[in-house]
């Protein structure tokens, strides 16, 4: 190839469209105003009232689940189930056999995002959280429980991403009233459920910075912390007291019990940063390093190699971000187009029946 | 009477502001739309419709938080609708063309560009969108995420996947 792929794409795009003329400007004064017909004027208020009633019942009520007790879950020693989130559906699958145990029915009046949204599994391997869009297009998080056979129960919305003005109270430099912020609601960039599944954390992103949001699922109480970093990953410490986060260039900790937070630690962008960091509870992360000769590594918060978990020749060229389970002990990763698992405590690796069937196959797992 | 005059003045102001945005951004948006749907006529319609939509919205509810972001999202959505209509009408793959060049020194580059555009057709819709937004409009992950209404993690993983797919497809052709 005579040019780098990036340059080639830019040049191809530029040259393909260089002769495209400017469009004719519409006549703004005679343009159709889109005024609804008389009949629509009658129907609209009725629909609006209905929408408000439904919204209060479905979103408002679930978003503030005050007074709803949430029972702490019991962790399992080894996760066996995973939630597979794809563009078309969400399924519960058996990791070892690859068998689909059930397809998740989305909460009413919600849809899947155009690309798979973040998800998180609790340590009991029976409680899962996933992201969907509400009827108004806001990121909301729903929860399901699965039975002993892995069959999913009814999903319900538990929280929704905070609004930009709320995020603006904690993100330095985010002026929520400016025209730089296109959306009135943050997008859910990552979610992480606490080890006992009583609290849920979310990275709510805006173009100017992110908020790390923490909900008590029993009371609905919410707290926000802001950062100007592009937070891509979030996880809990093993004791459930603190949150670890990582962007491409920095990593940090949020301690909900502390009044002042420790400043984030910068780290250089390394080879293991082609996919968002797969954080472990101690702040280190698992990443693929290398091209065809690939190594699966544990890297320190500063990006230094800590431990090699495996090395192989990557014939498939297909990779997906490693997935750490709720305990932080087991990791799913791609090796030559197939998902394998590794127990970080014993370094024991085992194959699974989960396959990355196609290079276009956009899905990931939460377990 | 005074109320009517005030309303007319407000409408004129909106038209002026949308017109200014049109002159600043319309051509780039049409070029982006061409890369998404490879049909100049349809691309122009999509962009005009996006501006008319912005004008309607501005008149009724005031300006969106970011008119530029609003337009980008409208154009991407308009292109998706156009593609759906086209797919329903003709089940045919879109082929890209590259303007012909006479200089021999650029022949190889032209060939590679043609290959990139042909391979672009074989990517998923979302992969194609993120590449156009990143490499033509030079948007960062935040702006792409806001345009497509997805998370930034999704943007970065989709770009990474799209580049790998593109490399693999170009390798297949050799």
């Amino acid at each position: 190839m005579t040019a780098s792929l990036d340059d080639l794409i830019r040049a191809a795009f530029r040259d393909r469209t260089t002769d495209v003329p400017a469009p004719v400007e519409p006549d703004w004064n005679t343009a159709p105003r889109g005024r609804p017909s008389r009949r629509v004027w009658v129907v609209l208020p009725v629909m609006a009232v209905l929408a408000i009633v439904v919204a209060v019942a479905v979103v408002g009520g679930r978003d503030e689940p005050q007074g709803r007790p949430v029972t702490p879950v019991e962790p399992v020693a080894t996760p066996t189930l995973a939630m597979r989130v794809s563009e078309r559906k969400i399924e519960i699958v058996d990791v070892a056999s690859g068998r689909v145990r059930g397809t998740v029915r989305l909460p009413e009046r919600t849809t899947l995002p155009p690309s798979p949204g973040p998800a998180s599994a609790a340590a009991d391997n029976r409680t899962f959280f996933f992201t969907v869009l509400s009827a108004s297009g806001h990121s909301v998080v729903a929860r399901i429980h699965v039975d002993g056979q892995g069959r999913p129960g009814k999903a319900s919305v538990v929280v929704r991403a905070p609004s930009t003005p709320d995020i603006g109270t904690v993100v330095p430099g985010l002026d929520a009233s400016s025209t730089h912020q296109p959306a009135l609601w943050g997008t859910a960039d990552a979610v992480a459920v606490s080890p006992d599944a009583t609290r849920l954390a979310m990275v709510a992103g805006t173009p100017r910075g992110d908020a790390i949001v923490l909900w008590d699922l029993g009371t609905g109480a919410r707290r926000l912390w802001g950062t100007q970093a592009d937070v891509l990953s979030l996880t809990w410490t093993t004791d459930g007291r603190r949150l670890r986060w990582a962007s491409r260039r920095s990593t940090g900790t949020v301690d909900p019990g502390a009044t002042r937070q420790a400043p984030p630690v910068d780290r250089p962008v390394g080879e293991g940063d082609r996919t968002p960091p797969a954080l472990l509870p101690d702040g280190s992360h698992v990443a693929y390093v290398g091209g065809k000769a690939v190594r699966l590594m544990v890297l320190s918060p500063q990006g230094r190699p800590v431990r090699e978990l495996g090395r192989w020749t990557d014939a498939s060229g297909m990779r997906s971000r490693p997935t750490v389970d709720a305990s932080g002990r087991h990791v799913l990763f791609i090796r030559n187009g197939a998902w394998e698992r590794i127990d970080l405590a014993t370094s024991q690796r085992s194959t699974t029946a989960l396959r990355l069937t196609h290079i276009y196959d956009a899905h990931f797992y939460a377990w | 009477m005074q109320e009517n005059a005030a309303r007319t003045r407000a409408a004129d102001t909106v038209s002026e502001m949308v017109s200014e945005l049109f002159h600043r951004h319309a051509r780039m948006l049409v070029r982006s739309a061409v890369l998404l749907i490879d049909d100049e006529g349809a691309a122009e319609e999509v962009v005009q419709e996006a501006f008319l939509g912005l004008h309607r919205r501005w008149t009724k509810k005031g300006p969106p938080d970011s008119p530029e972001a609003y337009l980008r999202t409208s154009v991407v959505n308009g292109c998706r609708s156009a593609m759906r209509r086209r797919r329903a009408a003709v089940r045919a793959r879109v082929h890209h063309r590259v303007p012909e060049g006479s200089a021999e020194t650029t022949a190889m580059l032209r060939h590679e560009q043609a290959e990139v555009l042909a391979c672009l057709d074989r990517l998923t819709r979302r992969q194609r969108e993120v590449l156009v937004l990143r490499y033509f409009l030079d948007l960062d992950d935040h702006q792409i995420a806001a345009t497509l209404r997805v998370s930034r993690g999704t943007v970065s993983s989709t770009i990474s996947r799209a580049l790998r797919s593109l490399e693999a497809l170009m390798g297949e052709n050799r």
Side-chain angles (χ1 to χ4, degrees), chain B residues 2 7 23 26-27 50 68 85 93 96 108 139 173:
Chain B
Q2 274 181 340
R7 209 174 286 162
H23 287 287
R27 181 160 181 259
E68 291 87 350
R85 285 195 299 272
R93 189 168 282 286
H96 285 284
M108 177 57 85
L139 303 187
N173 293 343

Side-chain angles (χ1 to χ4, degrees), chain A residues 263-276:
Chain A
V265 177
D266 289 339
R267 65 183 178 88
V269 177
E271 266 195 287
D273 287 309
R274 290 189 70 173
T275 55

